Amino acid sequence: RQQGVVTAQPSEQNCKNGGGSGADNGAHPRPDDDEGGEAEEGCCCSVYCCRMVCWFFCCPPIPSRIVAKQAFLPPNPPAYEIDEADGELKIRVEVEGSSPVSMVTVQQAQRHGATVSVYRIPNGPRKVLAAHLVKNPAARYTLLLSHGNAVDIGQLLPYMLDLSERVGCSIFTYDYSGYGLSSGVAREANQYRDVAVAYRYLIGPLSVPPTRVVFYGMSIGSSPSVHLAAKLCKLRDRAESRPVRSAQLDPPPAAVVLHSPVASGIRVLRPACTLTICCDPFQNLHKVQRITLPTLVIHGERDDVVPVAHGKMLHASLPNAVHPLWLPKANHNNIEAYKQYYDRLRAFFAEVQARQLAEASLQEPVVTQPATQPVAAPDPAPPTAAAQH
């Protein structure tokens, strides 16, 4: 995909003069007339290939910039709008038999008592993070959902409404920097900052307890979910030895779900790679070893985008992994079409709740009753005068 890239084709005159750039004009002899067509075609192809290689790897030659160009594909235009007057979210959908694109309000998409709220979260100087919350009034847990690539929160809304209804949870999701209406540039480092800002907003202004939050990472969204979960677990373990600083830390969530996760960026291109190098992006395989929370891995065995081997490697490296879900016929984009997916999520939430109740019962202080002393019997009263007679 070459979105936003303007590739200039070399002119016919430049090709005849020996190249597409001004520095090469006149540097090469003009080909004969009978070979002119082949020379021009080869010249154009060479110049085009050289420019594309330079754009990918030399403009600028920084690993994070190269990863950003190849890994992040934000939808353009965004699939939603926000009405500034009343904060109403509008979703862009395809309508058959009428205009190709129309707008549908969130109120028309709501069903079964779920409500959708829209937020613009401050994310640095003059930057905002677009987010929305699908709230199920009967839900115990709220998913902090980090979505996959090439989608935004507008395209995810129908899926979120269905998931909230069928699993019985609330869902809070956000757009990465450079996606949708979130400002900024799509980069791996910005992803890590975005998920931290969204989590702090969820447990802060939205008043959702951390023990009721579950991180949910889809595909490339597994990277920010794993990063933040590993960081919070590491800080919590470190704070146990220094209780003075524990009040300054964000507590970790209740659990983590990894949906078609990525083990690392290089392993997507080279599945046989067994080493983690410094320039490898999305190093989930290294970070999951620090996640001590209950973690569920879901992956389709026919996934041709992120092979199921990624999910199995992550599951084997998790210290507190629960029974995974491998779907034999599912691919990268249709896991939610299977009933087993919703059944496993409901069962997982029940497992997390049972663990929390068991831990709470162990932490309750045991009240011991003081030992009772035997009460001495009172001395018998002296006999009265009438009794003596």
Side-chain angles (χ1 to χ4, degrees):
R1 180 175 176 178
Q2 304 167 13
Q3 180 178 352
V5 181
V6 179
T7 305
Q9 296 294 338
S11 64
E12 181 180 357
Q13 184 64 31
N14 287 340
C15 287
K16 291 182 178 179
N17 291 336
S21 60
D24 293 336
N25 289 344
H28 301 282
R30 179 177 176 179
D32 297 335
D33 293 339
D34 56 347
E35 299 177 356
E38 296 180 0
E40 290 180 7
E41 182 178 358
C43 175
C44 293
C45 293
S46 300
V47 171
Y48 176 79
C49 293
C50 290
R51 289 183 176 179
M52 290 305 302
V53 170
C54 291
W55 182 81
F56 271 112
F57 298 104
C58 303
C59 298
I62 302 174
S64 61
R65 302 288 184 89
I66 298 172
V67 171
K69 291 178 182 179
Q70 302 184 56
F72 298 112
L73 303 173
N76 188 17
Y80 65 100
E81 296 178 0
I82 298 179
D83 190 347
E84 299 293 343
D86 54 4
E88 182 182 84
L89 182 71
K90 295 181 178 181
I91 308 303
R92 190 185 308 273
V93 296
E94 298 291 336
V95 179
E96 297 182 359
S98 62
S99 58
V101 176
S102 64
M103 303 303 296
V104 179
T105 63
V106 165
Q107 284 70 19
Q108 295 170 339
Q110 294 172 2
R111 54 182 177 176
H112 298 286
T115 58
V116 180
S117 303
V118 184
Y119 303 96
R120 286 179 175 268
I121 307 172
N123 190 24
R126 299 186 300 276
K127 294 182 180 180
V128 294
L129 207 64
H132 64 231
L133 171 66
V134 175
K135 188 169 184 60
N136 187 330
R140 177 179 179 86
Y141 294 105
T142 299
L143 304 184
L144 175 55
L145 191 148
S146 299
H147 60 72
N149 202 2
V151 297
D152 57 27
I153 60 177
Q155 295 170 327
L156 282 179
L157 184 58
Y159 159 74
M160 293 173 56
L161 289 169
D162 186 62
L163 180 63
S164 175
E165 175 193 355
R166 299 180 65 172
V167 179
C169 63
S170 299
I171 307 175
F172 181 71
T173 187
Y174 62 99
D175 263 337
Y176 310 126
S177 297
Y179 280 68
L181 299 183
S182 294
S183 53
V185 181
R187 299 247 174 86
E188 182 183 3
N190 290 347
Q191 271 193 318
Y192 301 151
R193 181 191 62 192
D194 297 340
V195 68
V197 170
Y199 180 56
R200 193 168 294 115
Y201 192 84
L202 181 61
I203 64 177
L206 296 184
S207 303
V208 178
T211 55
R212 301 290 184 91
V213 178
V214 175
F215 286 178
Y216 193 106
M218 302 178 66
S219 186
I220 200 173
S222 61
S223 180
S225 298
V226 166
H227 177 84
L228 184 58
K231 179 180 178 180
L232 295 178
C233 289
K234 180 180 179 180
L235 293 177
R236 179 193 60 184
D237 297 340
R238 184 182 299 175
E240 291 178 354
S241 59
R242 290 180 287 181
V244 178
R245 296 183 56 190
S246 61
Q248 305 174 2
L249 304 176
D250 293 331
V256 180
V257 179
L258 301 179
H259 177 134
S260 301
V262 176
S264 72
I266 288 183
R267 287 178 174 86
V268 175
L269 303 176
R270 298 291 301 273
C273 181
T274 58
L275 299 177
T276 300
I277 60 179
C278 60
C279 61
D280 190 359
F282 315 119
Q283 298 183 14
N284 292 341
L285 188 60
H286 174 70
K287 297 175 182 178
V288 294
Q289 302 174 18
R290 299 195 297 264
I291 300 179
T292 57
L293 306 169
T295 305
L296 169 65
V297 180
I298 302 173
H299 217 120
E301 294 187 359
R302 294 187 179 180
D303 193 330
D304 57 353
V305 178
V306 181
V308 69
H310 287 245
K312 292 184 176 181
M313 284 189 290
L314 293 171
H315 175 75
S317 301
L318 285 163
N320 195 7
V322 301
H323 187 69
L325 176 62
W326 313 126
L327 293 171
K329 298 182 179 180
N331 57 39
H332 192 71
N333 297 316
N334 68 347
I335 286 180
E336 59 274 9
Y338 292 86
K339 180 178 179 296
Q340 299 95 311
Y341 165 69
Y342 301 96
D343 294 340
R344 186 65 187 95
L345 283 178
R346 284 193 295 267
F348 177 63
F349 293 154
E351 295 172 16
V352 174
Q353 183 178 0
R355 291 191 184 195
Q356 290 178 333
L357 294 176
E359 293 175 357
S361 63
L362 293 176
Q363 294 176 358
E364 290 181 357
V366 180
V367 180
T368 58
Q369 297 292 338
T372 58
Q373 299 293 334
V375 180
D379 297 334
T384 61
Q388 294 178 357
H389 292 287

